[in-house]
Amino acid sequence: MSTFYFIDVVLPIPIQKAFTYAITQEEASFLKKGMRVAVSFGSNSIYTAIVLEIHQNAPTLYEAKEIHQILDESPIVSEIQLKHWEWISSYYMCSLGEVFRAALPSALLLESETVVYKNQVFDDESLLNNEEFLIFEALQHQSQITIQQVSDILGKKKVMPVINQLIKKSVIYLREEIYEQYKPKLEKYVRLHSKYSDDQSLEKLLSELSNAKQQHAAVLTFFQLTSKNKAIKAKDLEKKAGVSGAILKALVEKSVFELYHLQVDRISFQGNVNSVRNLNEFQAKALFDINESFRENEIVLLHGITSSGKTEVYSKLIDEQLKIGKQVLFLLPEIALTTQIIARLQQYFGHQISVFHSKYSINERVEVWHNVLENQSKAQIILGARSAIFLPFSNLGLIVVDEEHETSYKQVDPSPRYNARDAAIVLAKMHQAKIVLGSATPSLESYYNSHQQKYGFVTLNKRFGEVKTPKIELIDLKEKQRKKQLKGHFSDTLLQYIQNALDQKEQVILFQNRRGFSPIVECVSCGFSPQCPNCDVSLTYHKFKHELRCHYCSYQRAMPNSCGACGNNTLETKGFGTEQIEIELKTLFPDFVIGRMDLDTTRGKFGYQKIIGAFEAREIDILVGTQMLSKGLDFDNVTLVGILNADALLNFPDFRAYERAFQMMVQVSGRSGRAQKQGNVVIQTYDPAHSIIQQVANTNYEKMFEEQLQERLKFNYPPYFRLIKITLKHKDYAKVDLGINWLFRALQGVFGAYVLGPTAPSVSRIRNQHIKNLVIKIPPKQSLSGTKKQLQKIRNTFEAVKEFRSIRFVIDVDAY
């Protein structure tokens, strides 16, 4: 009796369970956990799946299909990675398939496309109607066409009825073609034809080419380059010889040169490497304390004030790990930050660094994936944003989470809604690696954990080079308005500071955490304000393109000349964003260069690099920006930072609003006076006596921490209680309302008073989906896993109700 073999696989789809497929004995002996296989799922779709287990137990509920093909020679996902995926799936209450889709670069997820072939025996055209004949005729000229091409030929989207008729008449048959998306980058190289291996033949060649000057020059240049004993790139030869590609092509046709291709990485480093800079006494003490703390704790929180030189301490820690042959993961919250940190770390570690984030192309990310998997020398240090935690590390020794307080580490949409900082802590534990969380303004949770001795704690409270912390001055906008000392959105004091800095050839950063020109356009006559048709939010005016734009769904339209409600030409803008500040500055300081850094100006792969590079090179005098500016950037010539409207940061309906406002203002202030000279910070506010603004002015983190901790304890919020947020979305408001009320009653029956809601968020409709929220608070002694099991049961019951099935049900664990 023959033995049957099966594999359990995870598919990149939001379904909780694994699926079983049949394999042969030979396949069973070849396959390993973590390899990719192509499998058919559903009627005719083909997916990339990852092997979880190889066994001999046939599924009981369905007959196992055979796999389509094996895609790898060896596993591309490690066992530790799969364990980490399972933890993310379980902790953040999402399917393993969703984690798989988020983790793997999309080029490693093969795509299938249905291809139409002509049945060679069919020849009776009279059986076909007009549309069917068009397809038949196309197949006379091509051996195969895709469904997409059929759609183009017929000029309509719904083509399956026509296809099905053609299959019935035996005119065509269908097959799924699999496309590998990753294309290695090939570089063109030149070598001399083998017949010119001796001096005699070379002399003859050069005399033959004496009349063709450019070809002669190309050959001579080739000999100059060969003296360096390196393979010669075609483009280098063209550049050095000053010839075009056509000249090279002519020499290839004459059999003088041969062209060949070599696979190269898309990301490479050229330059000299220096040894890690010596630390000052405070940094050296912090390094010693971290290493001492690592004896007791796996996790250490480094609380280093802005400009204290945390990166140099990280560099020493990285150096120690590389010496013992370990890999290092360096996480950053914002892609803008990687630009500066790459440059800094490359001075010390050169080509041992690889970068991994969403602004790199799909193919570049696949290369980094393979380099990490194979533990290549060029992937010993991985620098990346949150998605870098998914890479296949085999030998991880250290994780650095810089600016650990940043909200950007939390994935909001789509699922998995993980926090990269917390997931990195679990990853470090699985690899028995150490982890450093660094920040000038740590999150309340991390600081609290260090007080509870869960984390080691190290401080670095002296700025590098003994530079004093910046002087912070508060400007009372109410007072300035009363005395008519405001020019646009600038107080006379701030303008004086800007002028002084510019006179001394110093640079200025101005912070306004709202992009666009104006957040609200309003009619003075009737009060009407243009709204987004898809979201419950007013449209933001962008002056540069003279358009209104929604920052939630990207809807845009031209700025109207008159009010859409009363027809009067009395539309005015209210509030202000970075674009308006930039325009005002150009009027106030026409002889200086004004730059802007926000989501609108940093689109594209090198958007950040261009702006940061220009500012570092002192080509920009004043840089206006949103929160991107607050995240660890280092500019040595900035002596003034202006915060234009501090109150806008405080007035948010969120229990973290004060903590975040403090972090943002202190971080932005920290960009000032980072070299020799003490910097200045000017904060404009309508409420200078506000406790948070006073704490920022005195840079008093401890006071803010104690105050906020008391508030959190009083109202049952983190770090004392855990939160799970549930969001329902649907285009029908009545359906969402009915669903959320049913859910509230069901949850209240289990969790009692710890269920908050139902509430509508401040923007309660996005992309035509109405939104309602519930929050479950989990007390310290209540089991988190038990709570999740109860919640999952209620969710299953909810989704079994026919009326609720179409409602989107979103769970966000640790939603903060």
Side-chain angles (χ1 to χ4, degrees), residues 38 64 90 118 121 136 174 235 242-243 281 372 398 405 425 534 573 585 597 620 635 639 649 658 684 698-699 752 782:
S90 152
K118 181 185 154 204
V121 294
F136 176 73
L174 303 184
K235 64 180 180 193
V243 296
E281 59 172 305
V372 173
L398 173 72
H405 64 278
I425 288 170
N534 312 316
T573 59
L585 285 167
M597 186 170 164
I620 295 172
F635 304 113
T639 56
L649 300 171
Y658 284 4
Q684 297 190 154
N698 304 316
T699 323
Q782 187 174 309

Side-chain angles (χ1 to χ4, degrees), residues 407-435:
T407 52
S408 318
Y409 282 125
K410 180 81 163 88
Q411 164 96 346
V412 180
D413 259 328
S415 183
R417 293 170 181 82
Y418 65 99
N419 186 316
R421 178 198 61 203
D422 300 345
I425 288 170
V426 174
L427 183 68
K429 197 170 185 176
M430 287 178 176
H431 280 274
Q432 293 173 336
K434 307 293 184 195
I435 183 163

Side-chain angles (χ1 to χ4, degrees), residues 29-43:
S29 59
F30 179 78
L31 279 168
K32 289 186 183 70
K33 193 172 179 176
M35 283 166 81
R36 290 177 309 155
V37 289
V39 297
S40 61
F41 184 77
S43 53

Side-chain angles (χ1 to χ4, degrees), residues 92-305:
Y92 291 105
M93 297 187 75
C94 58
S95 70
L96 194 57
E98 287 170 309
V99 184
F100 166 31
R101 182 167 273 288
L104 228 62
S106 55
L108 292 174
L109 295 167
L110 290 188
E111 297 234 320
S112 71
E113 197 171 318
T114 305
V115 179
V116 178
Y117 292 88
K118 181 185 154 204
N119 188 350
Q120 297 300 336
V121 294
F122 180 84
D123 59 357
D124 188 359
E125 294 172 20
S126 62
L127 295 172
L128 308 178
N129 65 27
N130 290 348
E131 285 186 333
E132 291 163 0
F133 181 74
L134 284 174
I135 308 303
F136 176 73
E137 192 179 35
L139 285 165
Q140 302 288 73
H141 304 294
Q142 288 167 267
S143 60
Q144 60 184 64
I145 55 174
T146 64
I147 295 282
Q148 184 55 52
Q149 286 169 314
V150 172
S151 180
D152 295 341
I153 290 164
L154 299 181
K156 62 182 191 182
K157 284 183 181 172
K158 209 170 177 185
V159 294
M160 283 321 284
V162 181
I163 297 284
N164 290 333
Q165 281 305 313
L166 287 166
I167 292 169
K168 268 187 194 167
K169 294 174 182 175
S170 301
V171 182
I172 59 166
Y173 62 94
L174 303 184
R175 231 173 56 210
E176 287 287 316
E177 288 286 306
I178 296 179
Y179 295 95
E180 180 81 73
Q181 292 182 331
Y182 169 61
K183 291 181 179 65
K185 186 179 179 183
L186 299 173
E187 192 83 69
K188 203 185 329 179
Y189 285 82
V190 181
R191 63 181 165 222
L192 203 60
H193 198 282
S194 54
K195 66 184 178 187
Y196 297 111
S197 54
D198 56 71
D199 293 348
Q200 216 175 345
S201 56
L202 286 172
E203 276 177 39
K204 191 181 170 198
L205 169 66
L206 287 168
S207 64
E208 281 172 10
L209 295 175
S210 56
N211 291 331
K213 283 185 182 168
Q214 284 190 302
Q215 291 182 12
H216 190 266
V219 174
L220 284 176
T221 308
F222 177 83
F223 291 134
Q224 283 173 6
L225 293 170
T226 41
S227 61
K228 293 178 182 170
N229 291 327
K230 279 168 92 178
I232 297 162
K233 289 181 188 172
K235 64 180 180 193
D236 289 354
L237 179 57
E238 288 167 19
K239 195 175 172 186
K240 193 95 176 51
V243 296
S244 67
I247 301 294
L248 233 56
K249 194 178 172 194
L251 286 165
V252 171
E253 282 166 4
K254 285 183 179 178
S255 297
V256 175
F257 286 150
E258 290 177 331
L259 293 178
Y260 64 103
H261 292 85
L262 290 177
Q263 189 175 326
V264 291
D265 269 8
R266 288 169 167 83
I267 307 163
S268 57
F269 166 76
Q270 279 94 27
N272 299 320
V273 177
N274 309 311
S275 56
V276 179
R277 194 192 295 178
N278 288 330
L279 304 181
N280 65 23
E281 59 172 305
F282 306 106
Q283 291 170 317
K285 184 176 185 319
L287 178 67
F288 175 79
D289 290 348
I290 290 169
N291 281 322
E292 281 299 298
S293 196
F294 276 152
R295 293 173 190 273
E296 303 282 316
N297 301 287
E298 303 292 308
I299 310 159
V300 172
L301 175 64
L302 172 60
H303 182 198
I305 63 167

Side-chain angles (χ1 to χ4, degrees), residues 743-755:
L743 197 60
F744 175 70
R745 287 192 296 274
L747 289 168
Q748 207 181 27
V750 179
F751 303 113
Y754 290 127
V755 183

